[in-house]
Amino acid sequence: MNTSPDFGPFAALGILGFVLWLVFTAGIIVLSVWITYTVIWRAVRRGLREFYSDRPELR
């Protein structure tokens, strides 16, 4: 007779939690890189537009 407790469901829950944590962390990293890239790209485009513009109000 086997009297040892069954830890299978706890292990599955731990593995599922770890996988969800990895996906959530990767999503946060991708979102922060995308936001940083967007902000920098818009600043560079605006700076280039102002630098090469012939209109004095943009200089």
Side-chain angles (χ1 to χ4, degrees), residues 13-38:
L13 186 63
I15 291 171
L16 180 65
F18 180 71
V19 168
L20 289 176
W21 176 78
L22 279 178
V23 169
F24 181 74
T25 304
I28 293 294
I29 291 171
V30 167
L31 184 65
S32 64
V33 168
W34 177 68
I35 289 173
T36 304
Y37 172 78
T38 303

Side-chain angles (χ1 to χ4, degrees), residues 41-59:
W41 177 248
R42 287 186 180 181
V44 167
R45 282 183 42 201
R46 180 177 178 178
L48 288 174
R49 185 175 62 238
E50 290 178 2
F51 182 75
Y52 287 110
S53 175
D54 291 332
R55 298 186 317 189
E57 66 269 9
L58 290 180
R59 288 191 176 232

